[in-house]
Structures are given as C-alpha cells and as structure tokens.
Amino acid sequence: MPRPILKQFGDLKPEDFRQHPIWVSVHTLDYGAEWYEETDEETFRPWLEKPPVGADEMFLVSARLTFADGTEFDGFVTPARSYEGLRSMGSLQPQIFAPSGRRFGFWQGMFRRSESERDFYQTFTKSPQQVFPIRFQPLPGLTSSVASGEIPGFMSRPRGEVEVTQ
C-alpha cells in the first residue's frame, strides 16, 4: 500500500471528514506497511474501500449531532457491535465539531473534566437545557453497525458506574 494520509486523532478536523467520511485506525490494520513505524495507536487514515463499515476495526464515521433545541452539528462516532445504553458511550464516543472546527467529546473516562465542560458551553453559547439530550447518528450508508444514540450529558466512570453531568 502506498503511504496514505496519516492523521493523529487529536488533529482530525471537519474538513478531513468532508473529504473522507470514514477514517480507520492504522495501529493493527496496517501492521506490515513500510510506514507503520511512524504511527501509534492514535494514528488514523482515510478508509478508501467501499462502505458500509462494521465494528471489526476502529473506524471513525461522519455523524450528525442534534441538540435538544434542534440545532445540528457535524461530528463523528466509532461504530460498535452492540448498544448497552450509557455503557456504550465509552465505545461509541461521539465527538462534535463546533462551528470554529474545535472538537469536543462527551465521554470523559475515569475523571470528570469540568474545565472542558465550561469550554463547551462557552463555545456553543448554549445552556444545558438547550443542548441535552443530544441525538447522534452516522451519515447514511457509512456503517452497518451500531452508531446512533442519545447523549444525556458529559459522562465519566470514576467508581465503576457511569455518572452524567450537565
């Protein structure tokens, strides 16, 4: 395989998803490629094969996210094999792009990040009631796996159970 476009997860922008609506992690998929040593588990490349994709690799697929007040934004989601309510958010990890191109996630892992939540509300200039719940779904035809759902708030899992904050 010739060297593809390679991007770190944190460097992906809305224009990357407009140009290539599906991205795939190269960490296990491209193990034998000559450029593999330049990558890590955060490196993605465009998926150039025909969609839909499943959940057999770590894919990022373009998605539409809709706030409670009806405003819509671009983003992406990681398709999963199944949906198990809030526990699935750690796998699906929906991400949203602000009009400025800045990216925000809602799954915060083990520790809540209050500063990130404040930045989110300042960036979108909306109240929690205008934002949550957020509905998300992949763009049509991109995946055959679970990739839609509802985000009730910012989620963390500090003590084994998912906690939701707004």
Side-chain angles (χ1 to χ4, degrees):
M1 162 188 266
R3 181 185 171 88
I5 298 168
L6 299 173
K7 293 258 187 166
Q8 292 299 106
F9 180 83
D11 295 334
L12 288 165
K13 305 286 185 217
E15 53 270 16
D16 295 320
F17 284 92
R18 283 192 286 277
Q19 189 173 22
H20 301 286
I22 303 171
W23 288 74
V24 64
S25 171
V26 304
H27 194 63
T28 56
L29 183 67
D30 296 323
Y31 186 73
E34 61 186 49
W35 42 264
Y36 179 80
E37 293 301 320
E38 301 171 34
T39 70
D40 61 24
E41 62 277 349
E42 294 281 316
T43 308
F44 286 80
R45 68 168 171 82
W47 180 253
L48 301 176
E49 295 179 35
K50 188 175 179 179
V53 297
D56 51 327
E57 297 290 342
M58 181 178 282
F59 291 105
L60 307 175
V61 300
S62 294
R64 202 72 179 141
L65 291 90
T66 307
F67 284 179
D69 69 3
T71 55
E72 295 184 340
F73 298 93
D74 293 326
F76 61 91
V77 63
T78 301
R81 286 181 169 71
S82 63
Y83 184 77
E84 299 173 23
L86 288 181
R87 290 184 170 272
S88 295
M89 291 301 157
S91 298
L92 293 167
Q93 294 204 21
Q95 307 280 312
I96 191 169
F97 289 114
S100 66
R102 184 170 176 193
R103 181 179 52 84
F104 291 91
F106 302 94
W107 181 258
Q108 300 179 342
M110 294 294 291
F111 305 103
R112 182 176 175 204
R113 295 188 294 265
S114 300
E115 184 175 313
S116 176
E117 295 172 20
R118 281 191 300 276
D119 288 349
F120 174 87
Y121 289 116
Q122 288 175 349
T123 298
F124 285 95
T125 63
K126 294 197 181 271
S127 70
Q129 296 75 25
Q130 292 172 302
V131 173
F132 296 108
I134 300 171
R135 293 183 321 279
F136 65 93
Q137 62 183 9
L139 298 185
L142 296 184
T143 183
S144 56
S145 293
V146 174
S148 60
E150 192 171 274
I151 305 164
F154 295 96
M155 295 159 282
S156 58
R157 195 172 177 173
R159 292 177 277 293
E161 290 300 315
V162 177
E163 294 182 8
V164 177
T165 57
Q166 293 184 354

